[in-house]
Amino acid sequence: MNNDKMRNDRSIRVFQSMRCKMVMVMLGITAVTAALITGVFYWKSSEMIEKNYTESLYAGISQTGDALDESMEEVYYLTTLAACDGEILKSVEEFLESGDENDLVLIAGLLRDYAVRNRDLASVYLVIPGRRVIVTSQEYPVCQKEISKERLWEIGTAGEKALTPVMLKDPVRETADILSYVSPVEGEGGGTPAYVMGNIKERSLYYNYLDGLESGRGITAVILDRNGRIVSSRNPARVGEVSDKSEENSADEMLQAEYLTNFTEYSLRIEKEKSEVLTDLRQMRLHLLGILAAVFALGAILIVVLTGAMYAPLRKLTETMAKVSGGELGQRVEITTRDEIGILSGEFNDMLNHIEKLIEKLIQEEMLKKDAELEALQYQITPHRDY
């Protein structure tokens, strides 16, 4: 029981010692400093990776956007050129007068000549509202009759904005989405007897321009019109939706780059999940934690060694004081440093020397006093010679 109590008391003294307190404080400072350095390094690395990746995304969509804009501009000029074609206008007027469908076959041949001039141009339509007929550049069907008034109204409305491509349901194949430039054909006597449609399939836009951008995991890309509506996307069901980037994805989850084209003023937007971009950096966190642990361990060893060297003179002083308090007045502190502890040890040694001198003086005085008393006693006992 006594041994256990002594061990417990010794453990308590160790944890309450100045050295233990210094070690704990220095270890805490080392841990906080190492953690801060590691955290700043990780944050700066993450910031740099995000910036570089965003710049690379922008570089990619800017090249793609320029290629798309160039193609769209060419489609616009081909559509406008077809609308100004004198042969097409003559054939339209003849068909309106005679109703001869051979004129439609001739128009279809002329439209095919324009359709093959651009890789993105899927088809060219000539819409004749007066007869509710659409002539196509396709082999089948060459023409579509009985077009609904709703479709004709949409086409006529789009024709009022010739410079702007419009996303429409294909009036010939109702299930497909097409992006069309619609240019009015001006009649010789005034009016608009027909419209020319230069059509680009939405799926062609995706595979020609967006599919290559979405080559990695966690990447999505869309083409947006001037009003922020989706023109093309991986998911065809999203075509026509208004894309609000502030609601779609949080900035904490996605990296995003957007490029505005010059001619069409369409935008290409690309997004990449941050988790995919920072995968390697997150894997590196284990290495950073290992480095942090190594730095902390090295710091702990250095702290223990340094505090041991600093504490040794103080320990010697306290041990000597304990022996002196136990009665060993001949003990002296070995002075090994010239710091405050060394000065204190020297003063303690001087104090002990002074105490020893005082004790010797007291002993001598006491001995002299006893000698005097003894002499007086002997004088009283021994008879005086005069008697």
Side-chain angles (χ1 to χ4, degrees):
M1 292 294 292
N2 291 333
N3 291 335
D4 293 339
K5 184 177 180 180
M6 291 176 63
R7 280 196 295 270
N8 291 334
D9 292 342
R10 192 179 299 112
S11 299
I12 292 172
R13 286 197 300 271
V14 169
F15 284 109
Q16 290 180 344
S17 67
M18 182 180 295
R19 183 189 181 191
C20 181
K21 294 176 181 178
M22 290 176 62
V23 169
M24 296 302 293
V25 170
M26 296 178 73
L27 284 178
I29 294 173
T30 302
V32 171
T33 303
L36 286 175
I37 293 174
T38 304
V40 170
F41 174 78
Y42 181 83
W43 176 68
K44 285 293 185 181
S45 299
S46 174
E47 190 178 60
M48 182 179 65
I49 290 173
E50 290 179 14
K51 180 181 178 182
N52 292 340
Y53 200 89
T54 301
E55 290 176 353
S56 68
L57 289 178
Y58 184 82
I61 63 170
S62 61
Q63 294 177 357
T64 303
D66 289 340
L68 171 64
D69 206 44
E70 182 180 348
S71 179
M72 296 285 281
E73 185 176 2
E74 186 176 348
V75 171
Y76 163 74
Y77 285 121
L78 288 174
T79 304
T80 304
L81 189 63
C84 297
D85 191 311
E87 290 188 48
I88 292 177
L89 175 60
K90 180 180 178 182
S91 298
V92 168
E93 291 180 340
E94 289 178 355
F95 172 72
L96 289 173
E97 290 179 3
S98 64
D100 187 355
E101 293 191 2
N102 289 325
D103 294 323
L104 300 181
V105 174
L106 177 61
I107 293 172
L110 296 172
L111 296 178
R112 291 190 192 101
D113 292 338
Y114 290 98
V116 296
R117 299 185 189 181
N118 182 279
R119 69 161 189 162
D120 291 328
L121 194 57
S123 60
V124 180
Y125 293 168
L126 180 74
V127 183
I128 306 175
R131 293 296 181 94
R132 296 172 58 188
V133 171
I134 293 181
V135 184
T136 78
S137 61
Q138 301 166 349
E139 295 295 334
Y140 180 84
V142 174
C143 66
Q144 185 78 17
K145 300 179 180 179
E146 302 297 326
I147 303 301
S148 68
K149 292 181 179 181
E150 180 183 359
R151 287 285 177 263
L152 292 173
W153 179 83
E154 288 179 352
I155 294 169
T157 302
E160 297 174 0
K161 304 175 182 178
L163 282 172
T164 304
V166 180
M167 183 61 67
L168 299 170
K169 283 293 182 183
D170 191 331
V172 177
R173 294 179 173 84
E174 292 286 340
T175 58
D177 292 310
I178 55 173
L179 187 66
S180 296
Y181 277 104
V182 181
S183 182
V185 178
E186 301 293 339
E188 291 182 357
T192 305
Y195 294 93
V196 174
M197 297 175 60
N199 307 315
I200 303 171
K201 290 182 179 180
E202 183 274 328
R203 287 292 84 186
S204 296
L205 286 177
Y206 174 77
Y207 288 112
N208 289 340
Y209 299 101
L210 299 183
D211 187 48
L213 296 175
E214 295 183 335
S215 57
R217 290 183 57 187
I219 299 179
T220 57
V222 293
I223 300 174
L224 306 172
D225 66 12
R226 300 177 183 181
N227 299 317
R229 281 190 286 268
I230 295 176
V231 172
S232 185
S233 168
R234 179 188 300 173
N235 182 5
R238 298 191 63 196
V239 173
E241 292 181 2
V242 176
S243 175
D244 188 346
K245 61 182 177 181
S246 63
E247 293 180 359
E248 278 188 357
N249 295 295
S250 169
D252 294 334
E253 299 175 356
M254 305 294 290
L255 294 177
Q256 188 177 92
E258 188 165 336
Y259 179 75
L260 179 65
T261 60
N262 293 321
F263 181 74
T264 59
E265 295 184 2
Y266 274 21
S267 299
L268 271 76
R269 181 188 299 164
I270 188 168
E271 296 173 337
K272 172 76 172 181
E273 294 179 8
K274 282 187 179 181
S275 59
E276 295 293 334
V277 177
L278 302 178
T279 297
D280 293 337
L281 185 61
R282 286 194 173 90
Q283 292 176 351
M284 194 171 69
R285 281 189 301 188
L286 297 175
H287 301 290
L288 293 176
L289 290 175
I291 294 172
L292 175 61
V295 170
F296 182 77
L298 179 61
I301 294 172
L302 291 175
I303 288 170
V304 170
V305 173
L306 291 175
T307 55
M310 293 170 60
Y311 183 71
L314 183 60
R315 178 174 52 79
K316 292 179 181 179
L317 176 60
T318 55
E319 289 176 352
T320 303
M321 292 177 70
K323 291 178 180 179
V324 170
S325 65
E328 300 181 24
L329 298 179
Q331 295 290 328
R332 294 294 183 270
V333 181
E334 182 183 357
I335 301 174
T336 57
T337 63
R338 296 183 179 181
D339 55 12
E340 289 80 357
I341 302 298
I343 295 172
L344 181 61
S345 298
E347 295 292 336
F348 181 71
N349 288 340
D350 291 341
M351 182 185 70
L352 290 176
N353 292 332
H354 184 63
I355 290 173
E356 278 194 339
K357 290 179 181 179
L358 289 175
I359 291 173
E360 289 178 359
K361 183 177 180 180
L362 288 173
I363 291 173
Q364 290 177 0
E365 290 179 352
E366 189 67 25
M367 289 178 67
L368 290 174
K369 182 178 178 182
K370 287 182 178 180
D371 290 342
E373 291 177 351
L374 182 60
E375 184 178 351
L377 182 60
Q378 288 177 351
Y379 180 78
Q380 292 176 0
I381 295 173
T382 305
H384 201 275
R385 290 182 180 182
D386 295 335
Y387 295 109

